[in-house]
Amino acid sequence: MAKPSRLPALHTLLYFEAAARHLNFTAAAAELGSTQPAVSLRVGQLESELGVPLFTRRHRGVSLTADGARLFEAVRQGLDLIGEVTGEILARRRQPLLTLATDFGFAAYWLMPRLPALREEMPELEVRIITSQQAIDLRDEVIDVAIAFGEGHWPGCVAEKLLPESVVPVCSPSFLAASDWRRETIPWAEVPLLHLERPTPARWMDWPDWFQRHRLPDHHPGHDLTFNNYPLVLQAAMSGQGVALGWLPLVQDLLAGGQLVSLVDAPITTPRGYFLVLRESTRLTGVIGRFRRWAREVCANGTQEQAGPGGTSA
């Protein structure tokens, strides 16, 4: 169906719709906060523009002509649709929004599996997750809360440790099965290692740290691979490319599901870890306070799980 060259003015259609719904110009004027002559004038202008009468004027009121009835139905459908869409938009604006900043690894391997539980706890909450390889800047007013890896010191912020750094080497079961190692006598100098690139100064454990902690000789890279985010490190480990440092609980589900196996029974734990970080000015009310309580409870219930960097820190 061809579209008209132009639509009548919206305010004119609103006057017409009210008059057609009431079949009374005076009642329409009262609803619109106008006057009966003004309604009559608007309707007359619309009839002149269309070139047809829309109402049959009677001594006691008006009735719609056939053309008026068709136009009234079209206008009503249009206004109903506009009302429905604007209602949805307003409802979404009223829905509480929490913008959470974290790193790739934490988002992928800790947060994502727990989002259903968060939705169950706060079904009305809309969560916006921002991930970054770079340091998270909490001066960005868009961010409500961060879960960041570090030592607990962020200027102008308060930080509460959720999960400590706890690290164990991991690899795929097939990689381990294809080797002739014994866990007690792993030839680390021959093992292809998977590295997570870290900034300077160092903010989380790397392989040199791990070897030093275990009083092992320095490893001389041969077939090592280095990645700039933690999910890629774990993907390489699961595909049998080598051995990675596994931060708990980021790898906890992968270990439980058999995608990865640990090569050492006792992980190394440090004072670092994942912290819930808020600006000092943040009020612990509303969705921020509720999310903080939820995160604390989930981490407290998983006291056996440990944590580490997912590829970035704040």
Side-chain angles (χ1 to χ4, degrees):
M1 184 173 64
K3 294 182 179 180
S5 58
R6 70 182 183 87
L7 292 172
L10 179 58
H11 63 273
T12 301
L13 292 175
L14 291 175
Y15 273 75
F16 164 75
E17 187 277 333
R21 181 162 32 86
H22 288 285
L23 293 177
N24 187 293
F25 288 5
T26 301
E31 177 183 306
L32 296 169
S34 184
T35 63
Q36 188 275 338
V39 173
S40 181
L41 176 62
R42 296 290 188 187
V43 170
Q45 290 173 340
L46 181 59
E47 290 176 321
S48 297
E49 183 176 349
L50 297 177
V52 295
L54 300 174
F55 291 93
T56 299
R57 276 76 170 173
R58 295 189 174 92
H59 179 66
R60 293 186 177 181
V62 296
S63 61
L64 287 167
T65 64
D67 288 326
R70 290 181 60 204
L71 181 60
F72 175 61
E73 181 63 22
V75 172
R76 283 302 309 157
Q77 290 179 6
L79 292 176
D80 286 344
L81 180 58
I82 293 171
E84 180 180 335
V85 172
T86 54
E88 290 175 356
I89 293 172
L90 290 171
R92 194 164 60 247
R93 285 184 57 194
R94 289 191 293 266
Q95 185 177 13
L97 171 66
L98 179 76
T99 300
L100 167 66
T102 190
D103 58 53
F104 292 126
F106 190 87
Y109 293 107
W110 192 94
L111 185 58
M112 291 296 289
R114 290 163 178 80
L115 280 180
L118 177 59
R119 292 193 186 101
E120 184 176 345
E121 178 71 20
M122 303 175 66
E124 78 287 1
L125 179 65
E126 179 181 350
V127 181
R128 178 172 177 247
I129 301 171
I130 299 175
T131 56
S132 175
Q133 276 301 111
Q134 306 302 318
I136 299 170
D137 188 354
L138 281 150
R139 291 172 298 182
D140 185 347
E141 293 298 326
V142 173
I143 299 173
D144 296 314
V145 60
I147 296 181
F149 186 86
E151 297 180 348
H153 306 294
W154 286 270
C157 298
V158 293
E160 177 181 1
K161 184 184 284 188
L162 296 176
L163 299 162
E165 179 181 43
S166 190
V167 187
V168 64
V170 296
C171 66
S172 70
S174 61
F175 182 87
L176 181 60
S179 70
D180 56 358
W181 308 332
R182 296 180 59 188
R183 293 194 182 198
E184 298 81 7
T185 58
I186 295 175
W188 287 106
E190 304 171 12
V191 177
L193 302 180
L194 305 174
H195 298 266
L196 171 63
E197 192 176 83
R198 70 177 187 173
T200 302
R203 294 196 292 266
W204 53 76
M205 186 178 295
D206 63 3
W207 276 112
D209 293 337
W210 191 86
F211 285 121
Q212 185 178 17
R213 292 290 189 107
H214 282 275
R215 296 183 173 86
L216 293 171
D218 290 340
H219 179 271
H220 299 287
H223 301 289
D224 291 5
L225 294 172
T226 300
F227 302 90
N228 67 352
N229 74 68
Y230 196 53
L232 290 179
V233 173
L234 293 186
Q235 286 296 321
M238 287 186 284
S239 65
Q241 299 298 312
V243 178
L245 289 177
W247 275 266
L248 303 171
L250 303 190
V251 298
Q252 197 73 37
D253 292 341
L254 300 176
L255 292 170
Q259 292 102 315
L260 292 174
V261 294
S262 62
L263 296 181
V264 176
D265 292 332
I268 292 177
T269 301
T270 79
R272 296 180 297 240
Y274 272 111
F275 289 78
L276 189 143
V277 188
L278 299 168
R279 286 182 290 274
E280 290 178 346
S281 59
T282 299
R283 300 179 62 184
L284 295 177
T285 57
V287 295
I288 294 178
R290 292 176 63 191
F291 175 81
R292 174 175 174 265
R293 288 192 297 272
W294 174 83
R296 293 172 68 186
E297 290 173 3
V298 171
C299 292
N301 290 336
T303 53
Q304 299 304 314
E305 298 179 336
Q306 306 296 322
T312 184
S313 71

